[in-house]
Structure formats: structure tokens, C-alpha cells
Amino acid sequence: MHVVVCGALVKNGAVLLVHRSPARRAYPDLWDLPGGHVEAGESELPALAREMHEELGVHIVAESSSRLGDLRAGGGEDAVHVSVWHIADWVGSPTNRAPEEHDDIAWVEISELGGLPLVFDALPALLRSPPEPDRRRHPVR
């Protein structure tokens, strides 16, 4: 099973989404949260911090990060477990630093997510839900 983390950078009721390039093998031409695979020996929050820096050039403030929940896709060897994190604070201005993966990034009102072609249909509801209380404020290790 592949373990993936993704982060919802939220500002003024909008979330930053990335548009997956039409050339991508998995989930092409769809909007998604930025993120990526957790590497061997890495825990989720450090992986999230690494991915946010690699893809967007931002440094997340770990104390502002709260786990929203989990999504699952695929089966067998292609099964993916996705941990979704809410990020309330970061340093830097998000830019597309992974143009081979994403052909666009955009701030989208959370209330308007249902009108977009998303990787996960459950994403709008998850972003409107409060973070899981037992998983808030994990330190980066």
C-alpha cells in the first residue's frame, strides 16, 4: 500500500489546489491538494513539510497543522492511503515548483469545490469538517 500525505493550505475561506498535468499516469487532468508519498523511515508530518516545500516552496508551521482525516483509493498493489492535513500557517508564497506534475495552482473557495473535477469526491466535505481532535498539532520530527 502506498502512503500519501496532502496538505490543505487554507486562507480566508479558500484552499490552494494543484491541477494534475494531463500527462500524469495517475489521476491526470484533475484538481487535488498538493502532497506526495511518504518515504521509507519518514513519518507523515515531516513528509508533508517536505512535499509542501518541494512542490510549492513554502515552509509549513507544524503547530498550525491538524489532521482532517483519511481517504483511500485503488486496491491491491495500487492501493493508496491518503492522509489529509489542514495547514493554517506557513512561511513563503506558494508557487508551482513542480510544473512536470502540476500545470496550474489556484486558490479556490471551499464552498466552490463541488464544481471542480477532483481526484477525491469526498474532499469538499472533508475540508468543511473540523480536524480530528486526537491528532492536532503534531510536532515535526
Side-chain angles (χ1 to χ4, degrees), residues 19-30 99-103:
H19 185 262
R20 296 175 65 87
S21 170
R24 296 287 304 267
R25 181 182 69 81
Y27 307 106
D29 204 24
L30 296 172
E100 67 286 351
E101 296 181 27
H102 316 119
D103 58 7

Side-chain angles (χ1 to χ4, degrees), residues 25-104:
R25 181 182 69 81
Y27 307 106
D29 204 24
L30 296 172
W31 288 95
D32 198 4
L33 293 172
H37 291 271
V38 176
E39 296 177 357
E42 193 175 39
S43 58
E44 288 185 10
L45 197 52
L48 181 65
R50 176 183 51 76
E51 287 288 346
M52 294 297 103
H53 185 256
E54 288 175 2
E55 293 189 7
L56 301 173
V58 299
H59 295 279
I60 65 172
V61 176
E63 295 78 21
S64 78
S65 303
S66 303
R67 189 184 186 119
L68 288 174
D70 302 296
L71 301 169
R72 301 195 191 291
E77 288 184 15
D78 292 330
V80 179
H81 171 233
V82 181
S83 295
V84 181
W85 291 77
H86 174 273
I87 303 166
D89 198 17
W90 60 91
V91 177
S93 182
T95 58
N96 186 4
R97 293 183 57 185
E100 67 286 351
E101 296 181 27
H102 316 119
D103 58 7
D104 197 7

